[in-house]
Amino acid sequence: MERTFFVTTPIYYVNAEPHIGHAYTTILADFIYRFNLSLGIDSYFLTGTDEYGDKIFTAAAEKNMTPQDYSDKISGKFRAEWDSIDIKYSDFIRTTDDRHKRIVQYVLQKIYDKGDIYFGSYGGNYCMGCERFLTDKEMVNGKCPDHNKETQYIEEKNYFFKMSKYQDWLLDYIDKNPDFIRPERYKNEVLSLLRSDRLEDLCISRPTSRLTWGIPLPFDNNFVTYVWFDALINYISALGYPDGDKFKKYWSAAQHIIAKDILKPHGIFWPTMLKAADIEPYTHLNVHGYWNMDDAKMSKSLGNVVTPRDLINKYGNDQIRYFLLKEMTFGLDARFNEDLIIDKINFDLANDFGNLINRTFNMAGKFFSGKIPEFGNDNAGRDDLVAGIKKSAEDYILFCSKFQISIGLERLWEFIRSLNKYIDDTKPWQLAKDNNTDKLSSVIRNLLEGIYGISVLLSSVLINISPQIIAALNAAGASSNLDALLSMNNLTSGTVLGELGILFPKIEKAKPEAKAESDKEKRMNETGLIDIGDFSKVDIRVAKVIKAERIDGSDKLLYLTVDAGQEQRNIVAGIAHVYSPEDVEGKKILLVFNLKPATLFGKESQGMLLAAKKSNKDKPQVIFIDDTIPIGARLG
Ligand code: ME8
């Protein structure tokens, strides 16, 4: 059967306008959709808006609008925003679409007829922001920790979905399909929720006496459907479940992308709902972290919301796509500020890729009148370049397929840097001086071929600039098939190169800050001292080692799973020659929480355990922490 691919974003609530957090998920989905298309896979990309429920009803009332008018307006803004930044979604679903309402009712009826929906009474703490009841464990000081708001105690008669019936099935399914939820930390989070408690049944209705803005239950019109039960079904209603061709074609290849905030509905509610409705589970749930504005969560109430369009107008669409995809390590939170964007543009795009293109095009202009030279007879070094692009391209494809885009891009950049080094090593200007046209032709041709290969591979990221480069190489009609690409022999000798100009202009940072920064660095260099601001950048937290195991092939490394409070982390620690796994299991340690992850012996280390040693010759002593200090406590 032909390979297919189906990617979804969450459908966004229409109580807020699109911001950079929404844009990230949507750009990531757009990237992965184009990336799969470029591999020749028949792909489909769904996004949309979530329009029912208390939250939307209240937001509309505040604006003196009907919920439908209000939803039309904000949903339109999402769609316009995505159109303006060239998001190539295949379908945009709204939960107020008739096609969606019909299917929600169909699924409800199906599960009801099966006996998995019953009528009962429930009292619980309801968070309006999450649109769900929170368990006691999820609340902190009587508040929802995500929304920092008091929950409301609500008791009423309602319909319930027998979610608990599917708890064991789900545990087993996740065990048997270890990549079902990825990265691993979120799988572990779902597993620990499933293992720690008996699942409660899910309340799936709201009485119309309290809320009318919802889809009526097909078996009792005194109730409307709970917004999460309705919203999750968008992923199949858009495909025309149960009989639609798209459902038949794409559902078996479904991959959802969400941020960690909505893990529970997607990791627990949704698979159990699918199971109850006799529908195959999705293939993967891909969970990314949060963009934080210099460590504060981005939110309307904090007034630090960044709109995608403003940023793109300022820095360019391709530049922002590259920044977002490169900066966030899959699964971890990332810091967002404009200095970081400027650094990525200046270093990766302007210095590395931009310079490579400028230098090569300039030399081709100067030495070959702007024409693509033939390969010469002396082509020393070409084999290394061919091996280099092969390795980079394969890694790029491998990591991007697993949503580890930032690692994939890094691998591609290794090839870009190697081409820059090839220029420095072969010194084409010297070859020209020596009249060594034969070797010079080979060098310039190899460089142009390399630029072509990179541009094709990057065309799902640099959606405007890659085609410009390819056109300037007169290669719009050349093969973009991977094997052809890796042969580094795709261009036509003798054709004239087009003009490119500066593709990635360098951006100057705001002066006063830059100066303060360099003054600070100078002071630090002079005195060896750092100030409190520098120290506070290091986030050190108390964590408890849940599991420790040796890493095959290394006698120094232990692989630890630690509970860091808000989340579990896996870390690689160089202590196996001093401590056995049993020595550290159950102990509390200090963890550098905001260290960029690194991969050692094929394992990702998501932080660093603190240990001390007097000199390099001594063995490390782990700093164990008194059991009275709570997990997650920050050092400072
Ligand atoms: O939860 N960083 O909609 P929502 C990264 N309607 N991603 C962010 C982000 C941030 N700071 N802020 C938002 C809902 N997002 C439901 C979904 S699906 C059946 C129903 C992104 O408008 C991220 O993808 O609150 C997150 O999961 C989503 O927006 C939440 O969107």
Side-chain angles (χ1 to χ4, degrees):
M1 218 174 72
E2 197 192 351
R3 257 182 89 189
T4 55
F5 177 74
F6 174 42
V7 65
T8 69
T9 70
I11 45 170
Y12 305 112
Y13 285 129
V14 291
N15 69 332
E17 298 192 9
H19 61 62
I20 198 73
H22 305 123
Y24 171 68
T25 316
T26 312
I27 288 172
L28 174 60
D30 181 75
F31 162 77
I32 207 82
Y33 165 70
R34 291 174 191 251
F35 169 79
N36 275 277
L37 277 183
S38 75
L39 297 178
I41 299 170
D42 181 348
S43 306
Y44 202 76
F45 163 21
L46 175 69
T47 188
T49 43
D50 187 358
E51 306 182 6
Y52 286 118
D54 283 323
K55 218 165 26 183
I56 312 303
F57 188 83
T58 310
E62 277 167 9
K63 296 266 186 273
N64 265 333
M65 290 172 88
T66 66
Q68 187 65 61
D69 285 350
Y70 174 76
S71 299
D72 289 348
K73 181 174 157 208
I74 309 287
S75 178
K77 283 199 174 182
F78 270 94
R79 204 171 172 141
E81 187 80 28
W82 302 154
D83 289 341
S84 80
I85 61 171
D86 295 324
I87 299 294
K88 240 167 96 175
Y89 53 82
S90 318
D91 192 3
F92 188 101
I93 187 148
R94 302 181 52 186
T95 52
T96 51
D97 287 347
D98 277 342
R99 58 171 173 159
H100 173 72
K101 289 194 259 185
R102 253 189 305 114
I103 303 303
V104 169
Q105 292 188 325
Y106 176 88
V107 173
L108 279 164
Q109 190 68 50
K110 187 168 179 188
I111 301 180
Y112 183 73
D113 291 345
K114 200 177 168 185
D116 280 349
I117 289 176
Y118 64 90
F119 195 57
S121 147
Y122 185 78
N125 295 303
Y126 192 75
C127 169
M128 180 96 126
C130 297
E131 294 259 21
R132 65 181 179 90
F133 288 101
L134 301 188
T135 61
D136 290 347
K137 271 199 184 151
E138 285 175 310
M139 300 214 302
V140 177
N141 301 327
K143 288 181 176 176
C144 163
D146 276 354
H147 294 91
N148 200 20
K149 279 206 183 118
E150 308 259 331
T151 52
Q152 221 182 327
Y153 188 81
I154 295 182
E155 193 167 348
E156 61 195 12
K157 283 199 174 315
N158 263 311
Y159 284 88
F160 291 82
F161 163 52
K162 284 188 191 164
M163 196 156 74
S164 56
K165 180 174 158 189
Y166 297 100
Q167 179 165 7
D168 291 339
W169 165 79
L170 185 55
L171 263 169
D172 187 54
Y173 190 84
I174 296 176
D175 261 348
K176 289 195 176 122
N177 297 277
D179 272 351
F180 183 56
I181 299 171
R182 59 187 182 188
E184 205 177 354
R185 66 182 54 212
Y186 296 112
K187 174 184 93 170
N188 290 340
E189 213 173 289
V190 168
L191 281 177
S192 78
L193 278 172
L194 287 171
R195 284 192 183 124
S196 61
D197 275 320
R198 200 70 222 142
L199 269 191
E200 284 181 16
D201 288 342
L202 184 66
C203 175
I204 56 149
S205 64
R206 300 289 177 263
T208 45
S209 54
R210 182 156 77 77
L211 177 75
T212 49
W213 185 235
I215 300 175
L217 293 185
F219 40 82
D220 188 343
N221 61 14
N222 291 317
F223 291 85
V224 293
T225 313
Y226 163 53
V227 61
W228 268 109
F229 199 92
D230 141 21
L232 288 160
I233 291 174
N234 91 86
Y235 299 132
I236 55 173
S237 66
L239 294 182
Y241 169 78
D243 301 318
D245 289 343
K246 290 196 188 99
F247 181 75
K248 288 181 193 148
K249 190 167 179 188
Y250 295 113
W251 178 250
S252 59
Q255 299 214 27
H256 301 309
I257 308 179
I258 58 165
K260 61 184 186 181
D261 55 336
I262 50 179
L263 177 62
K264 189 172 177 183
H266 284 81
I268 297 183
F269 302 177
W270 183 222
T272 54
M273 284 165 63
L274 287 166
K275 181 71 185 163
D278 298 319
I279 304 169
E280 279 298 298
Y282 50 79
T283 316
H284 296 292
L285 178 63
N286 301 289
V287 189
H288 64 73
Y290 249 77
W291 285 98
N292 293 324
M293 300 298 293
D294 278 335
D295 290 342
K297 182 174 156 180
M298 199 185 311
S299 80
K300 219 167 147 191
S301 51
L302 291 175
N304 58 2
V305 170
V306 179
T307 70
R309 208 180 310 199
D310 290 349
L311 274 180
I312 281 164
N313 287 342
K314 193 163 169 189
Y315 296 106
N317 196 358
D318 289 12
Q319 284 83 343
I320 293 298
R321 285 172 75 96
Y322 176 77
F323 165 75
L324 292 173
L325 295 170
K326 180 72 202 298
E327 185 68 13
M328 184 173 264
T329 303
F330 182 43
L332 299 184
D333 287 354
R335 231 155 51 102
F336 186 94
N337 68 45
E338 294 197 33
D339 273 1
L340 292 170
I341 300 178
I342 295 173
D343 282 347
K344 279 276 167 299
I345 294 176
N346 286 351
F347 295 133
D348 297 11
L349 295 176
N351 274 2
D352 293 337
F353 193 35
N355 255 344
L356 171 67
I357 298 168
N358 285 341
R359 291 165 91 189
T360 307
F361 271 62
N362 283 340
M363 291 189 290
K366 199 161 154 197
F367 305 138
F368 297 99
S369 318
K371 289 192 184 146
I372 299 179
E374 295 265 10
F375 292 106
N377 292 322
D378 179 355
N379 205 346
R382 176 175 162 84
D383 289 351
D384 286 348
L385 295 182
V386 174
I389 195 170
K390 184 167 189 301
K391 177 88 188 85
S392 284
E394 284 172 359
D395 282 357
Y396 175 69
I397 291 169
L398 177 79
F399 284 106
C400 289
S401 305
K402 297 190 288 185
F403 279 76
Q404 297 176 353
I405 323 290
S406 120
I407 305 182
L409 285 170
E410 186 52 38
R411 296 299 159 89
L412 213 51
W413 248 252
E414 280 170 16
F415 181 61
I416 293 179
R417 291 189 198 111
S418 77
L419 286 180
N420 274 320
K421 184 164 178 302
Y422 177 68
I423 301 183
D424 299 341
D425 291 347
T426 52
K427 300 191 177 52
W429 49 92
Q430 192 59 47
L431 295 173
K433 237 192 213 162
D434 300 343
N435 285 326
N436 189 349
T437 316
D438 182 69
K439 174 122 197 239
L440 183 61
S441 313
S442 298
V443 170
I444 301 299
R445 178 65 182 262
N446 284 332
L447 289 167
L448 291 167
E449 292 283 352
I451 291 171
Y452 172 70
I454 297 159
S455 305
V456 173
L457 289 165
L458 276 178
S459 52
S460 312
V461 184
L462 305 179
I463 55 176
N464 299 298
I465 293 175
S466 273
Q468 278 177 42
I469 304 170
I470 294 168
L473 291 164
N474 289 307
S479 175
S480 55
N481 160 290
L482 191 62
D483 287 335
L485 212 62
L486 301 186
S487 71
M488 292 257 292
N489 188 3
N490 293 288
L491 305 178
T492 313
S493 309
T495 49
V496 181
L497 295 169
E499 283 289 323
L500 274 176
I502 303 290
L503 292 172
F504 307 103
K506 278 206 177 183
I507 300 170
E508 282 213 26
K509 283 192 189 167
K511 282 262 159 43
E513 248 177 61
K515 191 170 172 316
E517 197 57 39
S518 76
D519 285 352
K520 201 159 103 186
E521 265 171 32
K522 235 193 252 156
R523 269 200 318 276
M524 216 179 97
N525 289 342
E526 279 162 10
T527 60
L529 299 177
I530 58 170
D531 62 28
I532 189 80
D534 293 323
F535 176 68
S536 68
K537 283 185 193 153
V538 187
D539 182 353
I540 302 176
R541 299 191 189 181
V542 174
K544 185 169 183 168
V545 181
I546 306 169
K547 202 168 120 197
E549 54 196 1
R550 293 187 184 279
I551 294 184
D552 279 350
S554 166
D555 47 9
K556 273 216 171 129
L557 300 178
L558 282 188
Y559 188 56
L560 312 180
T561 305
V562 301
D563 177 0
Q566 289 169 339
E567 56 186 81
Q568 278 191 10
R569 291 270 176 105
N570 294 314
I571 53 173
V572 178
I575 54 170
H577 53 313
V578 190
Y579 297 88
S580 68
E582 303 74 55
D583 293 336
V584 289
E585 268 176 359
K587 299 252 174 69
K588 285 185 180 167
I589 50 116
L590 286 174
L591 171 74
V592 182
F593 192 76
N594 60 344
L595 195 70
K596 272 208 167 161
T599 303
L600 294 155
F601 276 77
K603 304 260 184 209
E604 191 190 43
S605 185
Q606 302 155 341
M608 184 175 90
L609 154 154
L610 288 189
K613 55 185 173 185
K614 221 167 162 193
S615 81
N616 270 343
K617 276 181 263 146
D618 294 317
K619 293 190 169 157
Q621 277 181 283
V622 174
I623 305 178
F624 290 116
I625 292 297
D626 186 332
D627 207 33
T628 57
I629 305 181
I631 293 172
R634 278 180 76 156
L635 205 74

